Amino acid sequence: MQSAVAPLQRFNAAKPFSLVTGSQISRSASRGCALFSAVICAWTGERDLGIEQLETPAKIPNGASYGELRLDPLFDPLRNDPRFQKLCEEK
């Protein structure tokens, strides 16, 4: 599983995005990257990393919504994790 997540970790480490793209990444794009990363980690069995990726978008105002976290089937692998449930409760 580690090999499936390694490219994602390298992508996330390529910050600040201004060095990569020549401009600042938008807040919505950053949110999307974090959610996409969390889904990939969840589906590859890297639950700890998936929860870690969700912490930031779950806490910002326009980040992951309560409904998105509770109802989106992409997050099914994380549902029984107490840390995921705590993130949902905080929303």
Side-chain angles (χ1 to χ4, degrees), residues 16 39 52:
V39 168
E52 182 182 312

Side-chain angles (χ1 to χ4, degrees), residues 52-74:
E52 182 182 312
Q53 293 293 317
L54 278 177
E55 287 176 353
T56 300
K59 292 180 181 176
I60 59 175
N62 289 327
S65 69
Y66 174 80
E68 189 171 24
L69 292 174
R70 295 295 293 171
L71 301 174
D72 193 332
L74 294 174

Side-chain angles (χ1 to χ4, degrees), residues 33-62:
C33 289
L35 291 178
F36 182 67
S37 297
V39 168
I40 290 173
C41 292
W43 281 84
T44 57
E46 295 289 333
R47 291 187 179 116
D48 293 335
L49 188 55
I51 297 291
E52 182 182 312
Q53 293 293 317
L54 278 177
E55 287 176 353
T56 300
K59 292 180 181 176
I60 59 175
N62 289 327

Side-chain angles (χ1 to χ4, degrees), residues 1-85:
M1 295 298 168
Q2 189 65 10
S3 63
V5 179
L8 179 63
Q9 290 175 317
R10 284 194 303 273
F11 173 77
N12 286 336
K15 295 177 182 172
F17 284 96
S18 60
L19 297 176
V20 176
T21 63
S23 63
Q24 290 293 327
I25 189 165
S26 72
R27 190 175 285 172
S28 63
S30 178
R31 171 197 172 274
C33 289
L35 291 178
F36 182 67
S37 297
V39 168
I40 290 173
C41 292
W43 281 84
T44 57
E46 295 289 333
R47 291 187 179 116
D48 293 335
L49 188 55
I51 297 291
E52 182 182 312
Q53 293 293 317
L54 278 177
E55 287 176 353
T56 300
K59 292 180 181 176
I60 59 175
N62 289 327
S65 69
Y66 174 80
E68 189 171 24
L69 292 174
R70 295 295 293 171
L71 301 174
D72 193 332
L74 294 174
F75 296 114
D76 284 350
L78 301 176
R79 295 221 191 281
N80 294 328
D81 191 302
R83 295 168 296 167
F84 181 82
Q85 293 171 0

